[in-house]
């Protein structure tokens, strides 16, 4: 099968184009370094099946960050029939350099001038024909985001593939020599083909930046916006969640219960209390998760992330980190796994490890479910968003404290050089793609890890058979008893301890476990929980959930990316210790104050 | 004090105030940094404007043609201008 590689500088729209061309749903965001791994899809071009590969962005062929290495290794090791180089048409003065470098590899190429919509708005004029002549390759102007020029691009690729010679891997070392000659050629081509008006800047971006990057208002605005987002997640999400929970309850009493009445009691309990309540409770949070990710999609696509790096870099550098580490923390709010992968853009190992050490403290969407549940069950409606916000502050606090403690051991001297893209807004199509991505991801997790966790909880809380469910005599009860001396000083009883134990698998399981333990669905669970624990216990529990090891996937990625068992052990052990200390201090402190 | 004992300090990108612009004359950092700066468009002959500087010695926002970049003062000091 023929193979096409998509290449270009970071943030030029390679993944957007990949999605348009292949119908895939690769993650897109207005941040250089969203794609850090290979992604491929097969499509029919003309009469043949072709494999299209989306690669991480590269600035040149000599970069040594992990994401650039991925692209470079791919080029060196995999035979490719055609390179499709994607450029940001508004920045050809520097982006053509990569095209020229790649051309020196001698492989057939097609050049795409993406973001032509933005180029037009800025009044930039590009003489495409002349450019194609000068470069000796097909040039097509497109807007991958809005779908302009896609047909021409598809044709150009098909045509070029048709004429292509046998595929081969690139010999990058050999083409290392270049630079000044290339630079001269670039300048000549650029001035002959591109016409940029004197003041080609995005006015809206400039105006927004004056406010959002304001020396004194910038950071307060950031926190106000964050608080606003959680208010919105609550006000919009809570009713939706109740709706789903209500519906699931109806299905349970109306359809599932009658269907299984003939079965042995143990099997009934497994189906109803184990599978249905366990998974159902988790599913009821789907609307909140989707809503939350839509907000995240807007933020990630807005270009605000680079601004956050600007605002926080001075502070982060005192912690031995940089502004990008802060951005990774924010991305970790969605899910820690992609945020950990995102550290591949960092070159120095010290900086990367330190960042990977703090990312698991980011309050991810799985923990968000647990907290939304507990805050709505225990706190007044007006207080719930504030309580949630305070947990986000704890999340930052734990991360910053960790960085301070480990910055010497993981020291580095990596410069910060970061693009500041213009503000953008996702199209409905992009939001839909993102929402769909998250739903499928969630369902895949729910049918894998989470199902496994919930089934395990059911087994451990229902055996041996002749004792009350989840009582101290059950397997789970005995396990929890082992931890009792540790957990009691935190105000966490043995049933909650069971939930925490299984939260190791994935945080969603915490709620699933509680549902299984109490044998009820989400709608009744809140009442039971609020009658059994007070707010101090609940908050202590939430602090523990926030800080301790997030989930097995995170652990796996920590190991995969660090390639070190010692580091992985540290990244598991330290948060556990910290979680215990923080919950202990909070719980005992609150009790001491008489709360 | 004898002023001649000091070399005339060479101006660097870190010396510019917001709104000021200059032309890059050379890069003095080590080679990996130079390569990165060049692929971001920071090379001799280019005009560069400082858009804003952040507080507490944080990064500088610079503009090269149609691209905006963040760079820390430490690296900005390796970029000579006139
Ligand atoms: N205006 C405009 N924006 C675009 C276009 N194509 C992509 N974008 C936006 O550019 C940003 C980057 O898009 P991506 O597809 O993630 O870029 P990428 O090249 O894959 O980036 P990395 O994976 O980080 O290297 C996103 O905010 C997109 O919405 C376009 O044609 N016009
Ligand atoms: Mg990408």
């Amino acid at each position: 099968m023929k193979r096409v590689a998509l290449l270009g500088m970071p943030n030029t729209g390679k993944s957007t184009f990949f999605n348009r061309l292949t119908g895939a749903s690769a993650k897109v965001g207005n941040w250089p370094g969203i794609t850090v791994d290979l992604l491929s899809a097969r499509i029919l071009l003309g009469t043949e099946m072709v494999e299209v590969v989306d690669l991480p962005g590269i600035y040149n062929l000599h970069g040594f960050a992990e994401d650039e290495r991925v692209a470079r290794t791919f080029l060196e090791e995999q035979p490719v029939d055609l390179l499709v180089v994607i450029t940001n048409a508004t920045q050809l003065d520097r982006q053509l350099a990569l095209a020229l470098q790649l051309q020196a590899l001698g492989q057939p190429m097609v050049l795409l001038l993406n973001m032509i919509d933005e180029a037009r708005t800025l009044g930039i004029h590009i003489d495409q024909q002349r450019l194609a002549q000068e470069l000796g390759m097909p040039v097509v102007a497109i807007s991958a985001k809005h779908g302009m020029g896609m047909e021409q691009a598809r044709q150009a690729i098909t045509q070029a593939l048709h004429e292509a010679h046998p595929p081969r891997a690139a010999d990058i070392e050999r083409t290392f020599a270049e630079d000044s000659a290339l630079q001269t050629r670039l300048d000549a081509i650029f001035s002959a083909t591109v016409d940029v008006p004197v003041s080609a800047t995005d006015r809206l971006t400039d105006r927004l930046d004056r406010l959002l990057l304001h020396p004194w208002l910038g950071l307060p605005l950031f926190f106000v916006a964050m608080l606003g987002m959680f208010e919105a997640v609550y006000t919009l999400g809570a009713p939706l969640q109740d709706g789903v929970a209500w519906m699931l309850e109806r299905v349970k009493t109306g359809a599932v219960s009658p269907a299984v009445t003939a079965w042995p009691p143990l099997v009934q309990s497994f189906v109803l209390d184990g599978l249905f309540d366990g998974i159902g409770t988790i599913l009821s949070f789907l609307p909140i998760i989707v809503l939350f990710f839509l907000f995240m999609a807007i933020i990630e696509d807005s270009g605000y992330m680079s601004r956050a790096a600007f605002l926080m870099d001075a502070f982060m550098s005192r912690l031995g980190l940089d502004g990008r580490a802060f951005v990774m923390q924010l991305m970790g709010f969605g899910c820690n796994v992609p945020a950990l992968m995102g550290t591949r853009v960092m070159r120095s190992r010290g900086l990367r490890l330190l960042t990977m050490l703090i990312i698991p403290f980011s309050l991810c969407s799985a923990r968000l479910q647990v907290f939304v549940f507990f805050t709505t069950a225990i706190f007044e409606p007006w207080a719930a968003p504030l309580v949630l916000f305070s947990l986000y502050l704890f999340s930052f606090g734990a991360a910053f404290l960790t960085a301070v403690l480990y910055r010497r051991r993981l020291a580095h001297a990596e410069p910060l050089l970061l693009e500041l893209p213009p503000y953008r807004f996702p199209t409905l199509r992009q939001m839909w793609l993102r929402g769909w991505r998250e739903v499928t991801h969630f369902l895949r997790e729910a049918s894998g890890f989470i199902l496994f966790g919930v089934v395990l909880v059911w087994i451990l809380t229902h055996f041996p058979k002749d004792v009350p469910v989840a009582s101290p005599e059950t397997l789970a009860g005995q396990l929890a008893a082992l931890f009792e001396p540790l957990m009691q000083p935190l105000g966490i009883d043995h049933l909650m301890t069971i939930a925490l134990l299984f939260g190791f698998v994935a945080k969603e399981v915490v709620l699933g476990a509680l549902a299984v333990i109490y044998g009820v669905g989400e709608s009744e669970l809140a009442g039971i929980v609020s009658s059994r624990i007070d707010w101090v216990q609940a908050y202590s529990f939430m602090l523990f959930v926030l800080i301790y090891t997030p989930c097995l996937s995170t652990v796996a990625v920590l190991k995969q990316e660090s390639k070190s068992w010692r580091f992985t052990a540290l990244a598991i052990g330290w948060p556990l210790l910290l979680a215990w200390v923080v919950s202990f201090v909070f719980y005992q402190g609150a009790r001491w104050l008489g709360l | 004090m004898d002023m001649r004992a000091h070399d005339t300090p060479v101006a660097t990108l870190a010396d510019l105030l917001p709104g000021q612009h200059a032309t890059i004359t050379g890069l003095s950092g080590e080679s990996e940094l130079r390569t990165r700066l060049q692929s971001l468009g920071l090379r001799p002959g280019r005009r560069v404007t400082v858009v804003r500087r952040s507080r507490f010695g944080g990064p500088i926002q610079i503009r090269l043609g149609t691209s905006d970049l963040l760079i820390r003062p430490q690296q900005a000091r390796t970029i000579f201008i006139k």
Side-chain angles (χ1 to χ4, degrees), chain A residues 424-485:
Chain A
R424 298 190 169 113
F425 196 80
T427 56
L428 280 177
R429 186 190 138 87
Q430 283 176 318
M431 292 211 264
W432 163 253
L433 268 181
R434 181 65 188 271
W436 180 242
R437 237 182 93 87
E438 298 307 335
V439 170
T440 48
H441 175 85
F442 185 83
L443 293 180
R444 220 176 318 123
E445 286 271 296
S447 57
F449 266 155
I450 300 176
L451 182 67
F452 165 77
V454 167
V455 168
L456 205 61
V457 175
W458 184 85
I459 293 174
L460 293 183
T461 50
H462 285 70
F463 286 93
K465 247 167 41 184
D466 34 12
V467 297
V469 171
S471 66
E473 291 81 42
T474 56
L475 293 175
Q478 288 168 25
L479 203 57
L482 287 181
F483 291 92
E484 187 166 355

Coordinates of all heavy atoms in Angstrom, one line a residue, chain A residues 424-485:
Chain A
R424 N -8.3 31.8 18.0 CA -9.2 31.1 17.1 C -10.4 30.6 17.8 O -10.3 30.4 19.0 CB -8.4 30.0 16.4 CG -7.2 30.4 15.6 CD -6.6 29.3 14.7 NE -5.6 29.9 13.8 CZ -4.3 29.6 13.9 NH1 -3.9 28.7 14.8 NH2 -3.5 30.1 13.1
F425 N -11.4 30.3 17.1 CA -12.6 29.7 17.7 C -12.9 28.4 17.0 O -12.9 28.4 15.7 CB -13.7 30.7 17.7 CG -14.8 30.3 18.6 CD1 -14.7 30.6 20.0 CD2 -16.0 29.7 18.2 CE1 -15.7 30.2 20.9 CE2 -16.9 29.3 19.1 CZ -16.8 29.6 20.5
P426 N -13.2 27.3 17.7 CA -13.5 26.1 17.0 C -14.8 26.2 16.2 O -15.7 26.8 16.7 CB -13.6 25.0 18.1 CG -13.8 25.8 19.3 CD -13.2 27.1 19.1
T427 N -14.9 25.5 15.1 CA -16.1 25.4 14.3 C -17.0 24.4 15.0 O -16.5 23.6 15.8 CB -15.9 25.0 12.9 OG1 -15.2 23.7 12.9 CG2 -15.1 26.0 12.1
L428 N -18.3 24.4 14.7 CA -19.2 23.4 15.3 C -18.7 22.0 15.0 O -18.8 21.1 15.8 CB -20.6 23.6 14.7 CG -21.4 24.8 15.4 CD1 -22.8 24.9 14.7 CD2 -21.6 24.5 16.9
R429 N -18.2 21.9 13.7 CA -17.7 20.6 13.3 C -16.6 20.1 14.2 O -16.6 19.0 14.7 CB -17.2 20.7 11.9 CG -16.8 19.5 11.2 CD -16.1 19.8 9.9 NE -14.9 19.0 9.7 CZ -15.0 17.8 9.1 NH1 -16.1 17.3 8.7 NH2 -13.9 17.1 9.1
Q430 N -15.7 21.0 14.5 CA -14.6 20.7 15.4 C -15.0 20.3 16.8 O -14.5 19.4 17.4 CB -13.5 21.8 15.5 CG -12.7 21.9 14.2 CD -11.8 23.2 14.3 OE1 -12.2 24.2 14.7 NE2 -10.5 23.0 13.9
M431 N -16.0 21.0 17.3 CA -16.5 20.7 18.6 C -17.2 19.4 18.6 O -17.1 18.6 19.6 CB -17.5 21.8 19.1 CG -16.8 23.1 19.3 SD -17.5 24.1 20.6 CE -18.6 25.2 19.7
W432 N -18.0 19.1 17.6 CA -18.7 17.9 17.5 C -17.6 16.7 17.5 O -17.8 15.7 18.2 CB -19.5 17.9 16.2 CG -20.0 16.5 15.8 CD1 -19.5 15.8 14.7 CD2 -20.9 15.7 16.4 NE1 -20.1 14.6 14.6 CE2 -21.0 14.5 15.6 CE3 -21.8 15.8 17.5 CZ2 -21.9 13.4 16.0 CZ3 -22.6 14.8 17.8 CH2 -22.7 13.6 17.1
L433 N -16.6 16.9 16.6 CA -15.5 15.9 16.6 C -14.9 15.6 18.0 O -14.7 14.5 18.4 CB -14.4 16.3 15.6 CG -14.5 15.9 14.2 CD1 -13.3 16.4 13.4 CD2 -14.6 14.4 14.1
R434 N -14.7 16.7 18.7 CA -14.1 16.6 20.0 C -15.0 15.9 21.0 O -14.6 15.0 21.7 CB -13.7 18.0 20.5 CG -13.0 18.0 21.8 CD -11.7 17.3 21.7 NE -11.1 17.1 23.0 CZ -10.3 18.0 23.6 NH1 -10.0 19.1 23.0 NH2 -9.8 17.8 24.8
G435 N -16.3 16.3 20.9 CA -17.2 15.7 21.8 C -17.3 14.2 21.6 O -17.3 13.4 22.5
W436 N -17.4 13.8 20.3 CA -17.5 12.4 19.9 C -16.3 11.6 20.4 O -16.4 10.5 20.9 CB -17.6 12.4 18.4 CG -17.7 11.0 17.9 CD1 -16.9 10.3 17.0 CD2 -18.8 10.0 18.2 NE1 -17.3 9.1 16.8 CE2 -18.4 8.8 17.5 CE3 -19.9 10.1 19.0 CZ2 -19.2 7.7 17.6 CZ3 -20.7 8.9 19.1 CH2 -20.3 7.8 18.4
R437 N -15.1 12.3 20.2 CA -13.8 11.6 20.6 C -13.9 11.3 22.1 O -13.6 10.2 22.5 CB -12.7 12.7 20.5 CG -11.6 12.4 19.7 CD -10.6 13.5 19.8 NE -9.7 13.3 20.9 CZ -8.5 12.6 20.7 NH1 -8.2 12.2 19.5 NH2 -7.7 12.4 21.7
E438 N -14.4 12.2 22.9 CA -14.4 12.0 24.3 C -15.5 11.0 24.7 O -15.2 10.2 25.6 CB -14.7 13.3 25.1 CG -13.6 14.4 24.9 CD -12.2 13.9 25.2 OE1 -12.0 12.9 26.0 OE2 -11.3 14.5 24.6
V439 N -16.6 11.0 24.0 CA -17.6 10.0 24.4 C -17.1 8.6 24.1 O -17.2 7.7 24.9 CB -18.9 10.3 23.5 CG1 -19.9 9.1 23.7 CG2 -19.6 11.6 24.0
T440 N -16.5 8.4 22.9 CA -16.0 7.1 22.6 C -14.9 6.7 23.6 O -14.8 5.5 24.0 CB -15.5 7.0 21.1 OG1 -14.6 8.1 20.9 CG2 -16.6 7.0 20.2
H441 N -14.0 7.6 23.9 CA -13.0 7.3 24.8 C -13.6 6.9 26.2 O -13.2 5.9 26.7 CB -12.1 8.6 25.0 CG -11.0 8.4 26.1 ND1 -9.8 7.9 25.8 CD2 -11.0 8.7 27.4 CE1 -9.1 7.8 26.9 NE2 -9.8 8.3 27.9
F442 N -14.5 7.6 26.6 CA -15.2 7.3 27.9 C -15.8 6.0 27.9 O -15.7 5.2 28.8 CB -16.2 8.4 28.2 CG -16.9 8.3 29.5 CD1 -16.3 8.9 30.6 CD2 -18.2 7.7 29.6 CE1 -17.0 8.8 31.8 CE2 -18.8 7.7 30.8 CZ -18.2 8.2 31.9
L443 N -16.5 5.7 26.8 CA -17.2 4.4 26.7 C -16.2 3.2 26.6 O -16.4 2.2 27.2 CB -18.2 4.4 25.5 CG -19.3 5.3 25.6 CD1 -20.2 5.2 24.4 CD2 -20.2 5.0 26.9
R444 N -15.1 3.5 25.9 CA -14.1 2.4 25.8 C -13.5 2.1 27.2 O -13.4 1.0 27.6 CB -13.0 2.9 24.9 CG -12.5 1.7 24.0 CD -11.5 2.1 23.0 NE -11.8 3.4 22.3 CZ -10.9 4.4 22.4 NH1 -9.8 4.4 23.0 NH2 -11.3 5.6 21.7
E445 N -13.2 3.2 28.0 CA -12.7 3.0 29.3 C -13.8 2.3 30.2 O -13.5 1.4 30.9 CB -12.5 4.4 30.0 CG -11.2 5.1 29.5 CD -10.0 4.7 30.2 OE1 -9.9 5.0 31.4 OE2 -9.1 4.0 29.7
A446 N -15.0 2.8 30.0 CA -16.1 2.2 30.8 C -16.3 0.7 30.6 O -16.6 0.0 31.5 CB -17.4 3.0 30.6
S447 N -16.0 0.3 29.3 CA -16.2 -1.1 29.0 C -14.9 -1.9 29.3 O -15.0 -3.1 29.2 CB -16.7 -1.3 27.6 OG -15.7 -0.7 26.7
G448 N -13.9 -1.2 29.6 CA -12.6 -2.0 29.9 C -12.3 -1.9 31.4 O -12.9 -2.6 32.2
F449 N -11.4 -1.0 31.7 CA -10.9 -0.8 33.1 C -12.0 -0.7 34.1 O -12.0 -1.3 35.1 CB -10.1 0.5 33.1 CG -8.7 0.3 32.9 CD1 -7.9 1.4 32.5 CD2 -8.1 -0.9 33.3 CE1 -6.5 1.2 32.3 CE2 -6.7 -1.0 33.1 CZ -5.9 0.0 32.6
I450 N -13.0 0.1 33.7 CA -14.0 0.5 34.7 C -14.9 -0.7 35.0 O -15.2 -1.0 36.1 CB -14.8 1.7 34.2 CG1 -13.8 2.9 34.1 CG2 -15.9 2.1 35.2 CD1 -14.5 4.1 33.5
L451 N -15.3 -1.4 33.9 CA -16.1 -2.6 34.1 C -15.3 -3.6 35.0 O -15.9 -4.2 35.9 CB -16.4 -3.2 32.7 CG -17.2 -4.5 32.7 CD1 -18.6 -4.1 33.1 CD2 -17.3 -5.1 31.3
F452 N -14.1 -3.8 34.7 CA -13.2 -4.7 35.4 C -13.2 -4.3 36.9 O -13.4 -5.1 37.8 CB -11.8 -4.6 34.9 CG -10.7 -5.2 35.7 CD1 -10.6 -6.6 35.9 CD2 -9.9 -4.4 36.5 CE1 -9.6 -7.1 36.7 CE2 -8.9 -4.9 37.3 CZ -8.8 -6.3 37.4
G453 N -13.0 -3.0 37.2 CA -13.0 -2.5 38.6 C -14.3 -2.8 39.3 O -14.4 -3.3 40.4
V454 N -15.4 -2.5 38.6 CA -16.7 -2.6 39.2 C -17.0 -4.1 39.5 O -17.5 -4.4 40.6 CB -17.8 -2.0 38.3 CG1 -19.2 -2.4 38.7 CG2 -17.7 -0.5 38.3
V455 N -16.7 -5.0 38.5 CA -16.9 -6.4 38.8 C -16.1 -6.9 40.0 O -16.6 -7.6 40.8 CB -16.6 -7.2 37.5 CG1 -16.6 -8.7 37.8 CG2 -17.6 -6.9 36.4
L456 N -14.9 -6.4 40.0 CA -14.0 -6.8 41.1 C -14.6 -6.3 42.5 O -14.7 -7.1 43.5 CB -12.6 -6.2 40.9 CG -11.5 -6.8 41.6 CD1 -11.3 -8.2 41.1 CD2 -10.2 -6.0 41.4
V457 N -15.1 -5.1 42.5 CA -15.7 -4.6 43.7 C -16.9 -5.5 44.1 O -17.1 -5.8 45.3 CB -16.2 -3.1 43.5 CG1 -17.0 -2.7 44.8 CG2 -15.1 -2.2 43.3
W458 N -17.7 -5.8 43.1 CA -18.9 -6.6 43.4 C -18.5 -8.0 44.0 O -19.0 -8.4 45.1 CB -19.7 -6.9 42.2 CG -21.0 -7.7 42.5 CD1 -22.2 -7.1 42.9 CD2 -21.1 -9.1 42.5 NE1 -23.1 -8.2 43.2 CE2 -22.5 -9.4 42.9 CE3 -20.3 -10.1 42.1 CZ2 -22.9 -10.6 43.0 CZ3 -20.8 -11.4 42.2 CH2 -22.1 -11.7 42.6
I459 N -17.5 -8.6 43.4 CA -17.0 -9.9 43.9 C -16.5 -9.8 45.4 O -16.9 -10.5 46.3 CB -15.9 -10.5 43.0 CG1 -16.5 -10.8 41.6 CG2 -15.3 -11.7 43.6 CD1 -15.5 -11.3 40.6
L460 N -15.7 -8.8 45.6 CA -15.0 -8.7 46.9 C -16.0 -8.2 48.0 O -15.8 -8.5 49.2 CB -13.9 -7.7 46.9 CG -12.7 -8.2 46.0 CD1 -11.5 -7.2 46.1 CD2 -12.2 -9.5 46.5
T461 N -17.1 -7.5 47.6 CA -18.1 -7.1 48.6 C -19.2 -8.2 48.8 O -20.0 -8.0 49.7 CB -18.7 -5.8 48.3 OG1 -19.2 -5.8 46.9 CG2 -17.7 -4.6 48.4
H462 N -19.3 -9.2 47.9 CA -20.3 -10.1 48.0 C -19.9 -11.5 48.5 O -20.7 -12.5 48.5 CB -21.1 -10.2 46.7 CG -22.0 -9.1 46.5 ND1 -21.5 -7.8 46.2 CD2 -23.4 -8.9 46.5 CE1 -22.5 -7.0 46.1 NE2 -23.6 -7.6 46.2
F463 N -18.6 -11.7 48.7 CA -18.1 -13.0 49.1 C -17.3 -12.8 50.4 O -16.6 -11.8 50.6 CB -17.2 -13.6 48.0 CG -18.0 -14.1 46.9 CD1 -18.2 -13.4 45.8 CD2 -18.5 -15.4 46.9 CE1 -19.0 -13.9 44.7 CE2 -19.2 -15.9 45.9 CZ -19.5 -15.1 44.8
P464 N -17.3 -13.7 51.3 CA -18.1 -15.0 51.3 C -19.6 -14.7 51.3 O -20.0 -13.6 51.7 CB -17.6 -15.7 52.6 CG -16.9 -14.7 53.4 CD -16.4 -13.6 52.5
K465 N -20.3 -15.7 50.9 CA -21.7 -15.5 50.5 C -22.7 -15.2 51.7 O -23.7 -14.5 51.5 CB -22.2 -16.7 49.7 CG -22.5 -16.4 48.3 CD -22.7 -17.7 47.5 CE -23.5 -18.7 48.1 NZ -23.6 -20.0 47.3
D466 N -22.4 -15.8 52.8 CA -23.4 -15.8 53.9 C -23.3 -14.6 54.8 O -23.9 -14.6 55.9 CB -23.4 -17.1 54.6 CG -22.0 -17.7 54.7 OD1 -21.0 -16.9 54.4 OD2 -21.8 -18.9 55.1
V467 N -22.5 -13.6 54.5 CA -22.4 -12.4 55.4 C -23.0 -11.2 54.7 O -23.1 -11.2 53.5 CB -20.9 -12.1 55.8 CG1 -20.3 -13.3 56.5 CG2 -20.1 -11.8 54.5
P468 N -23.4 -10.2 55.5 CA -24.0 -9.0 54.8 C -23.1 -8.4 53.8 O -21.8 -8.4 54.0 CB -24.3 -8.1 56.0 CG -24.2 -8.9 57.2 CD -23.4 -10.1 56.9
V469 N -23.7 -7.8 52.7 CA -22.9 -7.2 51.7 C -22.0 -6.1 52.3 O -22.4 -5.3 53.1 CB -23.8 -6.6 50.6 CG1 -23.0 -5.8 49.6 CG2 -24.5 -7.7 49.9
A470 N -20.7 -6.1 51.8 CA -19.7 -5.1 52.2 C -19.5 -4.9 53.7 O -18.9 -4.0 54.1 CB -20.1 -3.7 51.6
S471 N -19.9 -5.9 54.4 CA -19.6 -5.9 55.9 C -18.2 -6.2 56.1 O -17.5 -6.7 55.2 CB -20.5 -6.9 56.6 OG -20.2 -8.2 56.2
P472 N -17.7 -6.0 57.4 CA -16.3 -6.2 57.7 C -15.9 -7.7 57.4 O -14.7 -8.0 57.2 CB -16.2 -5.9 59.1 CG -17.3 -4.9 59.4 CD -18.4 -5.3 58.5
E473 N -16.9 -8.6 57.3 CA -16.5 -10.0 57.1 C -16.2 -10.3 55.7 O -15.7 -11.4 55.4 CB -17.6 -10.9 57.7 CG -17.7 -10.9 59.2 CD -18.6 -9.8 59.7 OE1 -19.6 -9.5 59.0 OE2 -18.2 -9.1 60.7
T474 N -16.7 -9.5 54.8 CA -16.4 -9.8 53.4 C -15.0 -9.6 53.0 O -14.2 -9.1 53.8 CB -17.2 -8.9 52.4 OG1 -16.9 -7.6 52.8 CG2 -18.7 -9.1 52.6
L475 N -14.6 -10.1 51.8 CA -13.2 -10.0 51.4 C -12.8 -8.5 51.4 O -11.7 -8.1 51.9 CB -13.0 -10.6 50.0 CG -13.2 -12.1 49.9 CD1 -13.1 -12.5 48.5 CD2 -12.2 -12.8 50.7
A476 N -13.7 -7.7 50.8 CA -13.4 -6.3 50.8 C -13.3 -5.7 52.2 O -12.4 -4.9 52.5 CB -14.4 -5.5 50.0
G477 N -14.2 -6.1 53.1 CA -14.2 -5.6 54.4 C -12.9 -6.0 55.1 O -12.3 -5.2 55.8
Q478 N -12.4 -7.2 54.9 CA -11.1 -7.6 55.5 C -10.0 -6.8 55.0 O -9.1 -6.4 55.7 CB -10.9 -9.1 55.2 CG -11.8 -10.0 56.0 CD -11.8 -11.4 55.6 OE1 -10.8 -11.9 55.0 NE2 -12.9 -12.2 55.8
L479 N -10.0 -6.6 53.7 CA -9.0 -5.8 53.0 C -9.0 -4.3 53.7 O -7.9 -3.8 54.0 CB -9.3 -5.7 51.5 CG -8.1 -5.4 50.6 CD1 -7.0 -6.4 50.8 CD2 -8.6 -5.4 49.2
A480 N -10.2 -3.8 53.8 CA -10.3 -2.4 54.3 C -9.8 -2.4 55.8 O -9.2 -1.4 56.2 CB -11.7 -2.0 54.2
A481 N -10.1 -3.5 56.5 CA -9.6 -3.5 57.9 C -8.1 -3.3 58.0 O -7.6 -2.7 59.0 CB -10.1 -4.8 58.5
L482 N -7.4 -3.9 57.1 CA -6.0 -3.7 57.1 C -5.6 -2.3 57.1 O -4.6 -1.9 57.7 CB -5.4 -4.4 55.8 CG -5.3 -5.9 55.7 CD1 -4.6 -6.4 54.5 CD2 -4.5 -6.5 56.9
F483 N -6.4 -1.5 56.3 CA -6.0 -0.1 56.2 C -6.6 0.8 57.2 O -6.4 2.0 57.2 CB -6.4 0.4 54.8 CG -5.6 -0.2 53.7 CD1 -6.0 -1.4 53.0 CD2 -4.4 0.4 53.3 CE1 -5.3 -1.9 52.0 CE2 -3.7 -0.2 52.3 CZ -4.1 -1.4 51.6
E484 N -7.5 0.2 58.0 CA -8.3 1.0 59.0 C -7.4 2.0 59.8 O -7.7 3.1 60.0 CB -9.2 0.2 59.8 CG -10.1 1.0 60.7 CD -11.2 0.3 61.3 OE1 -11.3 -0.9 61.0 OE2 -11.9 0.9 62.1
P485 N -6.3 1.4 60.4 CA -5.5 2.3 61.3 C -5.0 3.5 60.5 O -4.8 4.6 61.1 CB -4.3 1.4 61.7 CG -4.7 0.0 61.4 CD -5.8 0.1 60.4

